[in-house]
Amino acid sequence: MVRSLWTAATGMNTQQANIDTVANNLSNVNTTGFKKQRAEFEDLLYQTIKTAGTPATEDTITPVGVEMGHGAKLAATQRIFEQGSLQNTGVNTDIAIHGEGFFRVLQYDGTYAYTRDGSFKVDADRQLVTSNGLRVLPEIIFPENYVESSIAISQDGRVTVRVGEFNDPIEVGIIELYRFQNNAGLAAEGSNLFSQTPASGQAIAGRPGFAGFGKVEHKFLEMSNVSTVSEMVNMIVAQRAYEFNSKAIQTSDNMLGTAVSLKR
């Protein structure tokens, strides 16, 4: 019975982690470019009391052994990179990725980070940056006296703008996208940023719309891919599983109380 107490306790811990994951998904339901997570579990070690195949008689063997499990644990939090819905914002510097790929930005420490959040801005140096001021790479720098309302970004990433009174737009840069062999291996750093890890593989650069990369949509943003209905169902399932494990602890406690009272 002592084993059942600890086994049920591991179940409560795993369901708490499940609820934490669901809560994080729901809190980011309106976060631009957010990708939901899924908690994944695995069972713990088993105590083998009798091994399958043990001789039962001189001519027979035991077909099934006796193994007692010790509960469950959190194995991984899988990030699901399915496409989020696109929302038309009408903002000239907003860009959404429709398909595979990430934008690359330069962090303050000189390292690269990757994001699906295309809510970009133009800073005082006329450079395209994120909401936190991180430079978008390759650098997109607008010329002096450019007309902000004339900014145009094609689906293959070409950025053009008109300067002053000139009617003919000029090209000021090209948006590049980056993809990985294993997107789920990226490390989330917060602020809608991901960093490369050995599990994700090296970043592969490419042009939007070519060689398997997605297209970029100007004046659109990619919304979170969190489904509130699915998350609420997951929350109910996790809550009930938590209650089941707590009931197992209470039942084990009652059985221990019964055993203690036998001597009375």
Side-chain angles (χ1 to χ4, degrees), residues 46-105:
Y46 286 81
Q47 179 182 359
T48 302
I49 299 174
K50 183 170 67 174
T51 304
T54 301
T57 65
E58 186 174 328
D59 299 322
T60 62
I61 61 173
T62 304
V64 180
V66 179
E67 295 179 329
M68 302 301 294
H70 286 76
K73 69 175 182 178
L74 180 66
T77 51
Q78 171 82 23
R79 193 170 296 273
I80 302 173
F81 283 88
E82 66 180 10
Q83 179 75 47
S85 60
L86 302 185
Q87 180 179 359
N88 186 355
T89 64
V91 179
N92 288 316
T93 53
D94 283 349
I95 314 171
I97 302 174
H98 187 210
E100 185 77 12
F102 295 84
F103 300 110
R104 174 185 272 181
V105 299

Side-chain angles (χ1 to χ4, degrees), residues 71-194:
K73 69 175 182 178
L74 180 66
T77 51
Q78 171 82 23
R79 193 170 296 273
I80 302 173
F81 283 88
E82 66 180 10
Q83 179 75 47
S85 60
L86 302 185
Q87 180 179 359
N88 186 355
T89 64
V91 179
N92 288 316
T93 53
D94 283 349
I95 314 171
I97 302 174
H98 187 210
E100 185 77 12
F102 295 84
F103 300 110
R104 174 185 272 181
V105 299
L106 181 65
Q107 300 193 91
Y108 300 121
D109 60 359
T111 60
Y112 298 138
Y114 303 86
T115 182
R116 295 276 297 190
D117 180 5
S119 56
F120 299 137
K121 313 291 186 292
V122 179
D123 65 7
D125 297 323
R126 306 184 308 279
Q127 187 162 346
L128 197 66
V129 296
T130 68
S131 299
N132 292 323
L134 302 180
R135 296 180 181 179
V136 178
L137 299 178
E139 294 183 344
I140 305 294
I141 302 176
F142 295 96
E144 294 184 6
N145 301 323
Y146 77 98
V147 180
E148 182 178 356
S149 61
S150 68
I151 296 176
I153 303 174
S154 63
Q155 289 190 330
D156 62 355
R158 291 180 295 110
V159 182
T160 59
V161 68
R162 287 192 295 108
V163 179
E165 298 179 354
F166 296 97
N167 292 324
D168 294 334
I170 62 172
E171 185 173 307
V172 296
I174 297 177
I175 298 290
E176 283 190 356
L177 297 181
Y178 298 81
R179 60 184 176 88
F180 299 87
Q181 295 295 337
N182 176 27
N183 288 339
L186 293 170
E189 296 188 357
S191 300
N192 293 347
L193 299 177
F194 297 94

